[in-house]
Amino acid sequence: MTATASLPLVAVLATGGTIASRKGADGAASPSLSGQDLLDLLPPLALRLRAVEVLAKDSASLTLADMQVISDAVGRQLDDPQITGVVVLHG
């Protein structure tokens, strides 16, 4: 086992929102950054991060069905014995 493989693995679920938004030519912001795009902005950390694309929606567009999709995605990640924790990005 390598030193990197022994670090905790955290799933980072990308769901859109302001954190993933960029302004378009028309000045309107919309979610356009992937989970990996956001992780690439982080400094080196003493853990491994797995980007998981779940949704790319604005907060005002989220529905109860979308929230269930996010909840189900969290559950799937927690079912993986390699996963130490889950972070959901949105906002």
Side-chain angles (χ1 to χ4, degrees), residues 17 20-24 28-33 58:
S21 294
R22 286 191 176 152
K23 284 188 180 180
S30 62
S32 59
L33 296 172
D58 183 77

Side-chain angles (χ1 to χ4, degrees), residues 23-65:
K23 284 188 180 180
D26 62 356
S30 62
S32 59
L33 296 172
S34 71
Q36 191 59 56
D37 290 336
L38 295 169
L39 295 183
D40 289 344
L41 299 172
L42 295 173
L45 301 169
L47 52 86
R48 295 176 294 144
L49 299 172
R50 175 193 291 171
V52 179
E53 303 301 321
V54 179
L55 300 171
K57 290 185 113 175
D58 183 77
S59 300
S61 300
L62 285 178
T63 65
L64 289 175

Side-chain angles (χ1 to χ4, degrees), residues 7-14 39 46-52 73-89:
L7 294 174
L9 177 60
V10 175
V12 180
L13 280 57
L39 295 183
L47 52 86
R48 295 176 294 144
L49 299 172
R50 175 193 291 171
V52 179
V74 169
R76 281 191 302 278
Q77 292 304 311
L78 292 175
D79 285 342
D80 183 338
Q82 295 181 342
I83 295 293
T84 303
V86 177
V87 174
V88 177
L89 298 179

